Coordinates of all heavy atoms in Angstrom, one line a residue:
D191 N 44.7 9.8 -20.8 CA 45.4 8.6 -20.3 C 45.5 8.6 -18.8 O 45.6 7.6 -18.2 CB 46.8 8.6 -20.8 CG 46.9 8.1 -22.3 OD1 45.9 7.4 -22.7 OD2 47.9 8.3 -22.9
R192 N 45.4 9.8 -18.1 CA 45.7 9.8 -16.7 C 44.4 10.3 -15.9 O 43.3 9.9 -16.2 CB 46.9 10.6 -16.4 CG 48.2 9.9 -17.1 CD 49.5 10.5 -16.6 NE 50.6 9.9 -17.3 CZ 51.2 8.7 -17.0 NH1 50.7 8.1 -15.9 NH2 52.2 8.2 -17.7
Y193 N 44.6 11.3 -15.0 CA 43.7 11.5 -14.0 C 42.2 11.8 -14.4 O 41.3 11.3 -13.8 CB 44.2 12.7 -13.1 CG 43.4 13.0 -11.9 CD1 43.3 12.1 -10.8 CD2 42.6 14.2 -11.8 CE1 42.5 12.4 -9.7 CE2 41.9 14.5 -10.7 CZ 41.8 13.6 -9.7 OH 41.0 13.9 -8.6
L194 N 42.1 12.6 -15.5 CA 40.8 13.0 -15.9 C 40.1 12.1 -16.9 O 39.1 12.5 -17.5 CB 40.9 14.4 -16.5 CG 41.2 15.5 -15.5 CD1 41.2 16.9 -16.1 CD2 40.3 15.5 -14.2
F195 N 40.5 10.9 -17.1 CA 39.8 10.0 -18.0 C 38.4 9.8 -17.6 O 37.5 9.6 -18.4 CB 40.5 8.6 -18.1 CG 40.4 7.7 -16.9 CD1 39.3 6.8 -16.9 CD2 41.3 7.8 -15.9 CE1 39.2 6.0 -15.8 CE2 41.1 7.0 -14.8 CZ 40.1 6.1 -14.7
D196 N 38.1 9.7 -16.2 CA 36.7 9.5 -15.7 C 35.9 10.7 -16.2 O 34.7 10.5 -16.6 CB 36.7 9.5 -14.2 CG 37.5 8.3 -13.6 OD1 36.9 7.3 -13.5 OD2 38.7 8.5 -13.3
L197 N 36.4 11.9 -16.0 CA 35.6 13.1 -16.4 C 35.3 13.1 -17.9 O 34.1 13.3 -18.2 CB 36.4 14.3 -16.0 CG 35.8 15.7 -16.5 CD1 34.4 15.9 -15.8 CD2 36.7 16.8 -16.1
E198 N 36.2 12.7 -18.7 CA 36.0 12.7 -20.1 C 34.9 11.6 -20.4 O 34.0 11.9 -21.2 CB 37.2 12.4 -20.9 CG 37.0 12.3 -22.4 CD 38.2 11.9 -23.2 OE1 39.2 11.3 -22.6 OE2 38.2 12.2 -24.4
F199 N 35.0 10.5 -19.8 CA 34.0 9.4 -20.0 C 32.6 9.9 -19.6 O 31.6 9.7 -20.4 CB 34.4 8.2 -19.2 CG 33.3 7.1 -19.2 CD1 32.8 6.6 -20.4 CD2 32.9 6.5 -18.0 CE1 31.8 5.6 -20.4 CE2 32.0 5.5 -18.0 CZ 31.4 5.1 -19.2
I200 N 32.4 10.4 -18.4 CA 31.1 10.9 -18.0 C 30.6 12.0 -18.9 O 29.4 12.1 -19.2 CB 31.1 11.3 -16.5 CG1 31.5 10.1 -15.6 CG2 29.7 11.9 -16.1 CD1 30.6 8.9 -15.7
F201 N 31.5 12.9 -19.3 CA 31.1 14.0 -20.2 C 30.6 13.4 -21.5 O 29.5 13.8 -22.0 CB 32.3 14.9 -20.5 CG 32.0 16.0 -21.5 CD1 31.3 17.1 -21.1 CD2 32.4 15.8 -22.8 CE1 31.0 18.1 -22.1 CE2 32.1 16.8 -23.8 CZ 31.4 17.9 -23.4
L202 N 31.3 12.5 -22.2 CA 30.9 11.9 -23.4 C 29.6 11.1 -23.3 O 28.7 11.2 -24.1 CB 32.0 11.0 -24.0 CG 33.3 11.7 -24.4 CD1 34.3 10.6 -24.8 CD2 33.0 12.6 -25.6
A203 N 29.4 10.4 -22.2 CA 28.2 9.6 -22.0 C 27.0 10.4 -21.7 O 25.9 10.0 -22.0 CB 28.4 8.6 -20.8
S204 N 27.2 11.6 -21.2 CA 26.1 12.5 -20.9 C 25.6 13.4 -22.0 O 24.7 14.1 -21.8 CB 26.5 13.4 -19.7 OG 26.8 12.6 -18.5
H205 N 26.3 13.3 -23.1 CA 25.9 14.2 -24.2 C 25.6 13.5 -25.5 O 26.1 12.4 -25.8 CB 27.1 15.2 -24.5 CG 27.3 16.3 -23.5 ND1 27.8 16.0 -22.3 CD2 26.9 17.6 -23.5 CE1 27.8 17.1 -21.5 NE2 27.3 18.1 -22.3
K206 N 24.7 14.0 -26.3 CA 24.4 13.4 -27.6 C 25.6 13.5 -28.5 O 26.4 14.4 -28.4 CB 23.2 14.2 -28.2 CG 21.9 14.1 -27.5 CD 20.8 14.9 -28.2 CE 19.5 14.8 -27.4 NZ 18.4 15.6 -28.1
S207 N 25.7 12.5 -29.4 CA 26.8 12.5 -30.3 C 26.4 11.8 -31.6 O 25.9 10.7 -31.5 CB 28.0 11.8 -29.7 OG 29.1 11.7 -30.6
G208 N 26.7 12.5 -32.7 CA 26.4 11.8 -34.0 C 24.9 11.4 -34.1 O 24.7 10.4 -34.8
G209 N 24.0 12.1 -33.5 CA 22.6 11.7 -33.6 C 22.2 10.7 -32.6 O 21.0 10.5 -32.4
A210 N 23.1 10.2 -31.8 CA 22.8 9.2 -30.8 C 22.4 9.9 -29.5 O 23.0 11.0 -29.2 CB 23.9 8.2 -30.5
A211 N 21.4 9.4 -28.8 CA 21.0 10.0 -27.5 C 22.1 9.8 -26.5 O 22.9 8.9 -26.5 CB 19.7 9.4 -27.1
A212 N 22.0 10.7 -25.5 CA 22.9 10.6 -24.3 C 22.5 9.3 -23.6 O 21.4 8.8 -23.6 CB 22.7 11.8 -23.4
L213 N 23.5 8.7 -22.9 CA 23.3 7.5 -22.2 C 22.7 7.8 -20.8 O 22.7 8.9 -20.3 CB 24.6 6.8 -21.9 CG 25.4 6.3 -23.2 CD1 26.6 5.5 -22.8 CD2 24.5 5.5 -24.1
R214 N 22.0 6.8 -20.2 CA 21.5 6.9 -18.9 C 22.6 6.8 -17.9 O 23.1 5.6 -17.7 CB 20.4 5.9 -18.6 CG 19.2 6.0 -19.5 CD 18.3 4.8 -19.4 NE 19.0 3.6 -19.8 CZ 18.7 2.4 -19.4 NH1 17.6 2.2 -18.6 NH2 19.4 1.3 -19.8
V215 N 23.1 7.9 -17.2 CA 24.2 7.8 -16.3 C 23.6 8.0 -14.9 O 22.9 9.0 -14.6 CB 25.2 8.9 -16.6 CG1 26.3 8.9 -15.6 CG2 25.7 8.8 -18.0
L216 N 23.8 7.0 -14.0 CA 23.3 7.0 -12.7 C 24.4 7.0 -11.7 O 25.2 6.1 -11.6 CB 22.4 5.7 -12.5 CG 21.8 5.5 -11.1 CD1 20.7 6.5 -10.9 CD2 21.3 4.1 -10.9

Side-chain angles (χ1 to χ4, degrees):
D191 283 344
R192 298 192 183 276
Y193 184 68
L194 291 184
F195 74 90
D196 298 273
L197 175 60
E198 183 184 16
F199 171 51
I200 298 301
F201 175 81
L202 292 175
S204 300
H205 286 77
K206 296 179 181 180
S207 177
L213 300 185
R214 297 169 300 158
V215 180
L216 176 70

